[in-house]
Amino acid sequence: MVDWNLAVATATRFVRPGPEVSRDEARAIVAELRKHAKSSEAHVRAFTRMAQPDATGEEPHDTPVLVVDRPGWIKANVAGFRAVLKPLLAKMEDRRSTVPGGAVLGAVGGKVTGVELGMLLSFLASRVLGQYETFAPASRDLPAAAQGGRLLLVAPNIVHVERELEVAPHDFRLWVCLHEETHRTQFTAVPWLRDHIEGEIQSFLGETDIDPGALLERLREAAQSLAGAKPEGEEGEDEGRSLVDLVQTPAQREILGRLTAVMSLLEGHADYVMDGVGPDVVPSVAEIREKFQKRRASGAGRLDQALRKLLGLDAKLRQYRDGERFVSAVVEEVGMDGFNRVWTSPNTLPTKQEIAKPADWIARVHRKADGAP
């Protein structure tokens, strides 16, 4: 259903080249990012109080840190997509096998999908600074923890942004590592979190409408809405939504609401931690945050803004903002240990509505647990 090798080849061919650096500079950048990733562990764990070394000094469920270039990020993400989408694609393969000529159509469709996925990844590969790959399978070139997971730092993109913002490279690299290390801590310190998110994703994919006619009709409607092709006066709730939103079933929207809440929590928590730790270890953190926020909000240009909206990336920006507000409000009210009750079980995760109203989460999780009326 997807020609994965073609996806990698397409993305690698069309991805933009990274900033120019000498071989010695590249080695020094990689070494510094590895050093910052290591030092970030202690800073994040001390600030969040989520995980501490055991009696032997070992960190719980440690995962590898990989400093990669843009093609390396592409290969890693294709491997992750293959792992997550495997059940859905197997179901689609079964459906295709019952259709006359399905094998031929599938071969053609797999190449088309491979090219489309490759073009998408070529766009994203020059923008991602770092990423905790929760469901990453291990390979010879890209190791992962036994239970899955690895931390990627995309060196060319980090260098590109620090030059664009004209900020201190040492400070910016450490600041980025603090954010990504927070994600690694979230998943290594909360053993049930990975399985919970994977279950939600598989439930979302399980609800996917795989009937070709129905899917094509919904894609047509989505394209019309995004292109502004609806007749005047018919703009409704679909207006301004991304392509991903518009092809969802009602059941998927419910699942997506829960996923949106947990992703807002994780992203907002990472932003809160990187800024909380920052003043003690990153001298220019205030300047970096101000410049980075402006860059994050504005996008690189009109094409970039259009693609972000189409792909739903604007929603991710809201996750950073809304999630950080939630974390900040809860910590201010009940302290860090009180906030950390969020990691107790899936039942203590905030709902989408509670992300917007932290007091409701506090009332549900704290006051009921403490026996308050």
Side-chain angles (χ1 to χ4, degrees), residues 188-199:
T188 56
V190 185
W192 54 264
L193 185 59
R194 179 187 183 278
D195 289 342
H196 172 70
I197 293 178
E198 183 177 22

Side-chain angles (χ1 to χ4, degrees), residues 296-299 304-314 317:
R296 180 189 272 177
S298 65
D304 188 63
Q305 291 174 354
L307 285 169
R308 288 191 336 186
K309 182 175 181 180
L310 177 67
L311 299 173
L313 299 182
D314 282 342
L317 300 183

Side-chain angles (χ1 to χ4, degrees), residues 245-324:
D245 292 329
L246 291 169
V247 296
Q248 291 165 17
T249 66
Q252 284 178 310
R253 289 190 187 122
E254 184 177 340
I255 298 168
L256 189 70
R258 297 195 297 269
L259 279 170
T260 298
V262 71
M263 296 311 296
S264 295
L265 170 70
L266 299 179
E267 296 293 359
H269 183 234
D271 266 13
Y272 180 84
V273 171
M274 72 194 296
D275 287 344
V277 174
D280 292 333
V281 297
V282 182
S284 59
V285 64
E287 177 192 0
I288 291 173
R289 166 56 76 187
E290 180 182 2
K291 290 182 176 180
F292 191 77
Q293 287 287 64
K294 288 180 180 178
R295 181 185 186 275
R296 180 189 272 177
S298 65
R302 292 182 63 185
L303 176 60
D304 188 63
Q305 291 174 354
L307 285 169
R308 288 191 336 186
K309 182 175 181 180
L310 177 67
L311 299 173
L313 299 182
D314 282 342
K316 186 173 179 63
L317 300 183
R318 290 193 295 273
Q319 288 174 5
Y320 286 104
R321 183 187 65 237
D322 298 344
E324 185 174 15

Side-chain angles (χ1 to χ4, degrees), residues 330-357:
V330 172
V331 172
E332 183 176 356
E333 182 69 21
V334 298
M336 184 63 74
D337 290 333
F339 165 78
N340 281 340
R341 287 195 189 182
V342 79
W343 312 116
T344 304
S345 76
N347 292 330
T348 56
L349 290 172
T351 65
K352 190 175 180 181
Q353 292 73 27
E354 287 171 341
I355 287 288
K357 295 183 178 180

Side-chain angles (χ1 to χ4, degrees), residues 16-21 29 33 70 123-130 153-177 180 274 284 287-300 304 308 320:
R16 296 176 182 176
E20 291 187 9
V21 295
I29 291 165
L33 287 172
R70 291 170 178 175
F123 169 74
L124 295 175
S126 62
R127 286 156 173 77
V128 176
L129 301 182
L153 296 170
V154 191
N157 297 349
I158 293 172
V159 173
H160 171 78
V161 174
E162 71 191 26
R163 290 179 178 177
E164 179 184 315
L165 298 182
E166 298 182 337
V167 294
H170 173 86
D171 288 3
F172 185 74
R173 294 167 192 175
L174 177 55
W175 189 70
V176 170
C177 288
E180 302 309 329
M274 72 194 296
S284 59
E287 177 192 0
I288 291 173
R289 166 56 76 187
E290 180 182 2
K291 290 182 176 180
F292 191 77
Q293 287 287 64
K294 288 180 180 178
R295 181 185 186 275
R296 180 189 272 177
S298 65
D304 188 63
R308 288 191 336 186
Y320 286 104

Side-chain angles (χ1 to χ4, degrees), residues 5 8 64-66 68 71-80 82-83 133 135-150 152:
N5 292 331
V8 172
V65 177
L66 307 179
V68 298
W73 180 88
I74 290 167
K75 291 177 183 177
N77 274 264
V78 166
R82 293 186 73 167
E133 280 202 295
F135 311 109
S139 67
R140 184 179 63 183
D141 299 329
L142 296 165
Q147 76 281 8
R150 59 182 167 230
L152 303 179

